């Protein structure tokens, strides 16, 4: 049956980060005031633009070129209000799941390194040289 074949094909599709209502996206354009923030797609306007919202972010239209789609999804209705969105994000633990993901950890690590003071960078360099000396000593033995 063709419906069964189509269903099997959809189950095995390698790509699953679809643009859909409730999908969490990361704003990845540095020039944008929402850069680095997690946004939720509330409505789809056309092929290139979506309506996004998040707690602490003004609901606005954004181009899909400015966002990176994540694996996270929130269960919301189309064009829901801010309170419902905030409750859905809290119940889905979006922030916790993002912090636990490899992508979220990588961004947190980059932010932590970017915010190091001069002395902290020096301590990291000293620790790196000590570690390198221990590794060389262990390999030589």
């Amino acid at each position: 049956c063709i419906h069964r074949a189509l269903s099997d094909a959809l189950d095995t599709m390698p790509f699953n980060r679809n643009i859909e209502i409730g999908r969490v996206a990361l704003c990845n354009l540095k020039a944008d005031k929402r850069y680095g923030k997690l946004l939720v797609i509330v409505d789809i306007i056309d092929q290139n633009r979506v309506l996004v919202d998040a707690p602490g972010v003004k609901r606005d239209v954004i181009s899909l070129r400015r966002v990176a789609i994540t694996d996270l999804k929130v269960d919301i209705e189309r064009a829901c209000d801010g309170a419902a969105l905030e409750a859905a994000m809290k119940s889905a633990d979006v922030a916790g799941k993002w912090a636990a993901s490899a992508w979220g950890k990588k961004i947190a690590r980059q932010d932590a390194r970017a915010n190091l003071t001069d002395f902290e960078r020096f301590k990291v360099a000293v620790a790196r040289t000590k570690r390198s000396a221990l590794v060389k000593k262990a390999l030589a033995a």
Side-chain angles (χ1 to χ4, degrees), residues 4-131:
R4 191 161 174 236
L6 182 61
S7 175
D8 290 344
L10 290 175
D11 289 341
T12 60
M13 287 179 69
F15 187 75
N16 59 6
R17 288 184 183 170
N18 298 319
I19 308 296
E20 56 188 326
I21 309 276
R23 181 65 66 179
V24 178
L26 176 73
C27 184
N28 60 6
L29 183 73
K30 274 216 184 218
D32 199 324
K33 61 185 175 269
R34 297 166 289 218
Y35 175 71
K37 292 206 165 57
L38 289 176
L39 309 167
V40 178
I41 296 175
V42 179
D43 200 358
I44 299 170
I45 296 174
D46 60 24
Q47 194 170 3
N48 300 313
R49 297 177 303 149
V50 292
L51 184 67
V52 294
D53 194 4
V57 176
K58 185 178 154 233
R59 184 175 289 214
D60 201 7
V61 175
I62 190 167
S63 171
L64 287 173
R65 293 180 183 188
R66 292 182 175 218
V67 295
I69 305 300
T70 67
D71 289 331
L72 305 174
K73 187 172 184 309
V74 179
D75 188 30
I76 58 170
E77 291 187 18
R78 182 172 173 252
C80 69
D81 63 338
L85 176 67
E86 191 168 351
M89 285 184 75
K90 196 168 283 191
S91 69
D93 189 30
V94 171
K97 287 179 183 174
W98 175 252
S101 71
W103 192 357
K105 287 178 187 175
K106 175 183 167 187
I107 290 177
R109 188 171 52 246
Q110 288 172 344
D111 288 344
R113 286 188 132 190
N115 293 327
L116 288 178
T117 63
D118 187 39
F119 184 60
E120 289 169 336
R121 279 193 298 276
F122 171 73
K123 289 195 294 189
V124 168
V126 168
R128 190 178 296 138
T129 54
K130 285 183 181 179
R131 180 175 157 258

